[in-house]
Amino acid sequence: MRKRPEAAGLYDPSFEHDNCGIGAVADLTGAKKHETVTRALQVLDHLEHRGASGAEIDTGDGAGLLCQVPDEFFREAVDFELPQLGEYAVGVLFLPRDDESRRRELEQLIERTIEAEGQALLGWRDVPVDHSVPGPSASEVEPTIRQVFVGKQLEGDQDAFERKVYVIRRVIEREAGEDLAIPSFSSKTIVYKGMLTSPQLPRYYEDLGDERFKTAVALVHSRFSTNTFPSWELAHPYRIICHNGEINTLRGNINWMRARESTLASDLFGDDLEKVIPAVRPGGSDSATFDNVLELLVLAGRSLPHSLMMMVPEAWENHDSMPDYLRDFYAFHSCLMEPWDGPASVAFCDGTLLGATLDRNGLRPGRWQVTKDDFVVMASETGVLEYAPDQIVRKGRLAPGKIFMVDLDKGRVVEDEEIKYEISHRQPYGDWFREGSVHLDDLEEVAPEEVPADPVVTRQLMFGYSQEDLRVTLRDMGGVTVAEPTGSMGNDFALAVLSDKAPPLYGYFKQLFAQVTNPPIDPIRERVVMSLESAVGPQSNLFDTSPQHAHQLIIGQPLLRNFEFEKLKQVDHHVFSADVLDATWPVEEGPEGLQAAMERLCRESSELIAKGDNIIIISDRAAGADRAPIPALLATAGVHHHLVREGTRLQAGLVVESGEPREVHHICTLIGYGASAVNPYLALETLRDMFDNGLLPGIESADQAEQNYVTSMGKGVLKTISKMGISTVRSYAGAQIFEAVGLGKELIDQYFTHTTSRIGGIGIDELAIEALARHRRAYPETAERLPVGGVHQWRRFGERHQWNPETIALVQHAVRHGGRETYDEFSKRVNDESRARMTLRGLLKIKEDAKPVPIEEVEPASEIVKRFSTGAMSLGSISSIAHETLAIAMNRLKGKSNTGEGGEDPRRYVLDPNGDSRRSAIKQVASGRFGVTAHYLVNSDQMQIKIAQGAKPGEGGQLPGHKVDDYIGKIRHSTPGVGLISPPPHHDIYSIEDLKQLIYDLRTANPEGSVSVKLVAEVGVGTVAAGVAKANSDHVVIAGHDGGTGASPVSSIQSAGVPWEIGLAETQQTLVLNKLRDRIIVQTDGQMKTGRDVVIAALLGAEEMGFATAPLITMGCIMMRACHLNTCPVGIATQDRDLIKKFKGEPEHVVNFFFFVAEEVRRYMAQLGFTKFEDMIGRTDMLEAQEAIDHWKARGVDLAHLLAQPDCPPEWPRRRVRPQDPVLDDHLDHEIIRQSQPALERGERVHIEIDCQNKHRAIGGILSGEIARRYGEEGLPEDTIEVTLHGSAGQSFGAWLASGVSLTLWGDANDYTGKGMSGGVMAVRPPEGAAFVAEENVIIGNTVLYGATSGKAFFRGLAGERFCVRNSGVHTVVEGVGDHGCEYMTGGRVIVLGPTGRNFAAGMSGGIAFVLDEEGVFPERCNMELVDLEEPTEADFEEIRALVMEHAARTASPVAERALAEWDKLSGSWVKVFPRDYKRVLREAAERAAMAQDGAMAAAVAGGIEEQAIPAQG
Amino acid sequence: MGELGGFMKLHRVNGRKRPIPERLGDFKEYIFPAEEPVLREQGARCMDCGIPFCHNGCPLGNLIPDWNDLVYRDRWPEAIRALHATNNFPEFTGRICPAPCEASCVLDINDDAVTIKQIEQSIIDRAWEQGWVLPEPPATRSGKTVAVIGSGPAGLAAAQELNRFGHTVTLLERNTHAGGLLRFGVPDFKLEKWIVQRRVDQMVEEGVELRCGVNVGEDITGDELRDQFDAVVLAIGSTIPRDLPVPGRELEGVHFAMDYLEMRNRWVAGEYQDGTPITAAGKHVVIIGGGDTGADCLGNSHRESPKSVTQLELLPQPPDTRPEDLTPWPQWPLIMRTSGAHEEGGERDFSVMTTHFEGEDGKVKRLHGHRVGPPPSFEKIEGSEFSIDCDLALLAMGFLHPQPDGVVEQLGVALDGRGNVDAPEPDYMSSVPGVFAAGDARRGQSLIVWGINEGRQCARGVDRWLHGIGHEAEGADLVDLLAATNR
């Protein structure tokens, strides 16, 4: 029944992700009713849009229900005697259906085990199901579902029985293997689930419809998996949880759990413990694994909320207002277990307790309500269960890090505070922690041991330093920049495995990053959730709690300076004891010596642990003339995995003392493979040396340089972990969130166990040879200068680059004067495998023995060029003339240009006199949502959601203030001169079902346009692409890691993501295997240059190709790599007027280039016998690996997986052959539009009344698109179309709302309300007759008014997290907000008439917020980095008053009434949140105005600026 | 990285030149780098390009952005280290290289290039002045011996590199002094000879054995060389000039340019007390050939008070600005170049074919020619015949190949189609194992930077060969290769 295909080719089922909707209902009285089941199913039905189906519409990804054992029902349903409730357990079994004898075998195993464990087998029950319900794919693997009943035969309470039942289950699971799944086995709860859609669940299980089937609580789940391989087991709920989100640190958590097992001991389990270990069932999803561990913790004696607090702690590290007892609790428990980090909304139920907890960053939604009939509903959305307004007592939302819980024994909702207070006070955790733990800072300083050392330069050579390491990396990190270097353009140098320059081992590891299924984090603006802290020391038995559990040495951040390291090394303490492992080997032993040295290192590490050391230092200080350093990463990962395997890993912490690491990526890989802290002594020494030599201008002391370096490294490490959505170094440590490119299997299996490495590569010998080669540079004679490097900038004797003086000069000449011949020379130069052994495609060969066709029969180049598009380069990063030149060229070709992030000037929607069009066919929708309005979307052929960018996946963007001139500011709806930040995540895409929602939203604005999703290649991108296809996208882009950028930290440019060849092949294989390839177009990009590149991309599975750097170069770019400095000397990447004049590019240049490329494509097509481009797609059989890969390092590279054909019937489509299913047919707007005809056609005012439900999403979206299409950006006059709605509106209520529409909702609304609002008016107010107090209850969800550009919005009630994130123009009033309010806001007015959460105004650079802070607590909740808090001025008060009056008028808010009534009394409570940059710009404008002679002119100027900053209303 | 946006604010400033009347009165150098503050500003114009095309345009791969920046930051000692890292003799190239780097400077696309050459010269001049240039003898000796034949730029560079690698080098020169064309070809007003000698002295102090007046092939045979040395480097230059086989060629007063230039240089050096056998004084001088050698003749002639000087060129007059279709940036542009010598006077004429010389008393008096069309056919333009006065004709039409007899013959090395020694990159080894070639003798006549580069690369080839490492090393051999190539 787990018939997922084995890993074949590049597809591996372990890459799958899932997200979903969750719901829970409970009857607080504890009364068991069938109605509870009915209601739970109703909730599930209302969450259906959050789940997904696969290739077949009737095969769901999974749905399920968990509830109490329905005792009354079972008594009548079974034909054997049942003891009283609690004295028997029910096991739900998924047994193989098509193999009778195997089933019997398994049943016997179950019976045998029950007996062996001393319990009574009461009997079996066949669960009645309707086999006609599941779709074909689900049917094919449908299990036989039986229930087994076990009678309690032991002394002790029900918990003891539960433990025994668990032991029985684990024994069975371990012995049975994969073809048996046990969804639940308990005396308290039971699970009904399957590979079904939500509505199918009750139809499939007859039991659920039985009136006698009763429960007081139920948990339901609707699953959206990124692919559809049939799995009944992976449907939720699991035994005690269901989960919406993703555990990013899973690999590390599994490793650490495994490492912990040897220390586990439990009185409760006794000897049974060994039967259940390992506790994690292999092959489970992150949710399943989480469930496994949680279940174990609970059964071993901790309460459910206590265990959850351990696994998903709040952000306690930097939380000043958290009570001490709670911080103590978290601090103590951080010594026991690392956080399971990632977006998580975990709903749990053990039969008595029901509830949910949210991750520290609040990245998943959760809403709850309590009704008068003592019923509690909690779900991903509000409105899932319809109730009369007067029945609702309270409404709320899950808040970051908080637990919402119902206790049936107590018969009430238990508040987070109460739960945590009680748990935190069970033991004196704070005392234990303070007594047991030691902070490194508190240890006394010790004098360093004098180590005689060779000159710095000698050792720099030995460790492979280049001049660039000093000139670029260390100068920026240790100097006045205090950050790792910023780079621009892409990464075009050789892959490490193909490099002749002996790049360090770190270079083979590519950072993974979050995309779609989980969000990256902004480590700067959301610093409150981040932590760099780590600890070393022994870990004790996880099941136990004692003072000695706190014996940890705490290190504030992972980079140790020498004096800190010495404290650790020479630690003299009754608990801590450190020893050093020598990570060097004798040079005379040659390359073979490395293997032996690694064996020695592992052996010695075991010995140190046996001896009682708990800090192991891996040091290469002994390296010198006779001893070569072992690559520090190899030594660290090798020892780490050795100890994990040995089960002793947690008895000691690993600390690295090495001369090798110097970059952020180096430190991150070391941490990722197990190091708790690193002392990069040579980097520090180099900095001191540089300071002494005056190479750090502006730095006052060597000490300052070191401190800067530490600071820079901290920022860089946070950036790296946040890319993966991880908040704490503790959970990043050992999580090995990397993909290796170019490392052989043996090396990986031995030292980097479970790291993905898909093309094979070098082994330990090659590493040894390169280490010795570096050593030879240093000894016996030292070269005078370090090697040039040539990574950041091209150098003749440095690293090879694809773009180099020859290729650039040739292609520029070709498109101007040189013509086809020069292009051919260019393309030969690039393609020539012997020279261009830098890329994987360089190692591929296009077959030469195919049956050719005459070239005349091949489709014309003019058809082929339509498949090309240019990259997403924003206006802002490049000049408007360059941007428009590209657009004109692509429109002439009928290809597509891309707006990039940053809007588009509407004047470009009008054709030039000569017929040219400057409009970009692709409108990008990125995380900053700059200028994304209904009008913008309507004017597109394709709307592209940029999830990630090849140059810097997992990161946002930024446009420095000096590039934001008046024009750019206007188009982006931002303040000129103020830098702009695009957040790393889309704040409306934290998971796959969110993406599905955004796709839906975009379709509403422009139903004719297609939707594209841009991803970046990394392991698992294929399954994400499958999710994208299921989320209804028409198009997916797989970008290579090597794409360009205007500005990004170099570690992102160089170390994140993998080549597109791997990502594309994986995507193609996965989509075809999933039968999803038929409905989605695949595009790839990343350093595309020639026709050969295009052909290889097509053969690997792409229909379309994107080019960015190459067309820029044809227009004159010379790879200055200074795009972020605004000094581009050829007028491309600059907004400087004088430099723009130097731009010499013409559309013809770009057109010529693409035609040359297409002609080259045609020649290959003729050679391969293809007349139609589409016939090439996915034909990997036309490719082969170069027979003689003659690079000595590349010989271990194996591209077979890349070229594998999916194992499926030949008739399954391998390219897009049909459109996606329509989704807008049942949209509420169709009715609204029908009634709006008089307004749309004649501008007459209309008023519409209509009911809505949470299923009705993006209300107003289609209408707004229609208005934008007819009336442009202006729209209609305010209140032309007035719509009054009743009910709970679905997500994205009022999306893109255009001017002229006013929505008034009587009820409540979900997440993403007012997304991209473009001029309309909305009001949300409680329903008539509501029994609750509006201002104390949540009325709208998270991420409200995200990317809104203009309009007005009034909310009578509380909002969730990230209210007004990236608002650039809306004026709004709300009565309270959650965390991160007004984040990244660049314009508009926000009035908060009540409380705010933490981190208000983070990244806020424009607009103004006014907060009515009667309690006087606001300042501590506000992030003051960019804003000042002031008293409002007279003019401000007028503005506030006007808005509050309108709020009162539109929502009848008593809060507003009171504010107006007590205006004078409250005037002292108003706080003005004023961004400093914005203030400066307004002041400058005022000064300019004052200087103007003519008064009227002055007013006009001031007004003009104001207007740009805040688009005029209505 | 220079100053951010420096190029947007600052303009190019060239070096200072002495006034023409003054400089015509002597043979001293007349171009000097600008003052230090100006120079540093000029360094600030460098944009620190992601792809420094200048660094590629320079045959030596000079680390131009690096030392431009160091000059801007007033870090001269490091600047000379960076400069010396790729260039053994920047005081030569800084004066007489035509600077292809500047033609490929990114600023040259739409602005004036950075004054790279001027900065280069000032770095090395200051280094000598400050005593930063010291002999660098190797720490240890390999015990291997190498003979380098010829002490022009290629020979000097090869010898210096090989010596620093630890090999025992004997530099053989048939002339009286070392330097080759640097000493006897390039006029003093472009490169004063004490500058050459200073560098030669450094090499001798480093341990290079210099033997002048040894005519290899006569004084020592090829076989003897092979016996006495582990490796031989032929850096004998391209010394056979292209002749002009027209009637009247035999007349007195028709000379190869190099004969004239050598004699003038020796005169400047004080070797001729009473004037030289070939002189331009009081004559109508006609220089045939529009290249650098011709310009050197021009400059020399003007310093002898001639009656007139005319320079003729067969090719048409190039355009004043870069022809983008023919020589787009970053290529060396085919444009009308006006050197310092041209500023000093004389006539230039293009598209001219010389048909014969007319003489009196065996001495040349007039030159006859006609105009021609463009290459490759150079068709005669009918009716364009002309003649001009000519008392001294200097043939500056380039060089063909190295002297084929003598040592080349004795060593038995194969020649390529153009008569140069066939010694392909990257090893620079000829058909005879252990015999290498570098410079004009290998690649044909070229620029001094190419000569230095050839010497350096050839030295690496010799070094690897002496260590028994093939070029295509891999795996364990790579350890040695990297060690060898790192130097």
Side-chain angles (χ1 to χ4, degrees), chain A residues 988-1001:
Chain A
D988 56 355
I989 311 177
Y990 293 156
S991 68
I992 189 82
E993 77 269 11
D994 287 344
L995 175 70
K996 186 179 169 192
Q997 180 60 39
L998 178 58
I999 291 170
Y1000 182 91
D1001 297 339

Side-chain angles (χ1 to χ4, degrees), chain A residues 394-464:
Chain A
R394 274 172 75 198
K395 286 178 167 200
R397 69 178 211 287
L398 287 184
K402 303 293 184 204
I403 294 177
F404 170 78
M405 193 172 82
V406 170
D407 187 337
L408 289 190
D409 284 347
K410 295 193 172 109
R412 64 181 172 90
V413 173
V414 189
E415 302 295 331
D416 177 78
E417 215 170 296
E418 180 185 340
I419 301 169
K420 290 180 177 169
Y421 182 89
E422 190 268 320
I423 291 172
S424 316
H425 283 82
R426 282 191 193 160
Q427 301 286 356
Y429 294 121
D431 295 343
W432 287 359
F433 179 72
R434 277 181 288 279
E435 281 158 26
S437 70
V438 177
H439 201 289
L440 185 62
D441 292 348
D442 298 336
L443 289 179
E444 246 177 73
E445 283 203 25
V446 286
E449 291 162 6
E450 276 302 318
V451 199
D454 289 319
V456 174
V457 66
T458 307
R459 286 174 297 142
Q460 286 168 340
L461 286 162
M462 175 167 65
F463 285 108

Side-chain angles (χ1 to χ4, degrees), chain A residues 926-1091:
Chain A
S927 63
R929 304 285 161 93
F930 298 103
V932 177
T933 63
H935 190 228
Y936 170 84
L937 295 173
V938 157
N939 280 286
S940 71
D941 299 336
Q942 185 170 78
M943 296 164 279
Q944 182 183 71
I945 302 169
K946 181 183 91 170
I947 296 293
Q949 175 179 349
K952 46 178 171 181
E955 290 199 47
Q958 54 186 18
L959 189 65
H962 57 248
K963 277 185 143 180
V964 186
D965 62 11
D966 289 354
Y967 180 66
I968 303 295
K970 181 160 177 250
I971 291 168
R972 293 195 172 207
H973 296 260
S974 73
T975 313
V978 176
L980 294 174
I981 303 151
S982 299
H986 287 252
H987 281 297
D988 56 355
I989 311 177
Y990 293 156
S991 68
I992 189 82
E993 77 269 11
D994 287 344
L995 175 70
K996 186 179 169 192
Q997 180 60 39
L998 178 58
I999 291 170
Y1000 182 91
D1001 297 339
L1002 292 173
R1003 285 202 192 288
T1004 62
N1006 182 0
E1008 276 79 51
S1010 65
V1011 178
S1012 169
V1013 174
K1014 181 173 180 176
L1015 305 174
V1016 171
E1018 67 172 328
V1019 60
V1021 72
T1023 54
V1024 174
V1028 167
K1030 289 163 73 172
N1032 199 245
S1033 183
D1034 305 297
H1035 188 274
V1036 65
V1037 183
I1038 305 296
H1041 66 129
D1042 41 10
T1045 173
S1048 172
V1050 290
S1051 66
S1052 296
I1053 297 180
Q1054 295 169 6
S1055 310
V1058 300
W1060 58 255
E1061 292 92 326
I1062 304 179
L1064 172 62
E1066 184 194 332
T1067 299
Q1068 175 73 3
Q1069 292 168 18
T1070 310
L1071 288 174
V1072 172
L1073 273 174
N1074 277 280
K1075 255 172 135 174
L1076 291 165
R1077 185 64 179 87
D1078 59 345
R1079 68 199 68 187
I1080 191 163
I1081 290 172
V1082 176
Q1083 184 188 95
T1084 194
D1085 67 26
Q1087 294 297 341
M1088 291 270 167
K1089 293 177 190 63
T1090 67

Side-chain angles (χ1 to χ4, degrees), chain A residues 693-694 776 783 794-796 1120, chain B residues 50 55 58-59 75 480 486:
Chain A
N693 287 309
R776 262 302 289 270
W794 181 88
R795 285 291 185 271
R796 184 179 307 170
M1120 191 72 198
Chain B
H55 163 65
C58 173
R75 302 183 68 87
D480 298 316
N486 180 52

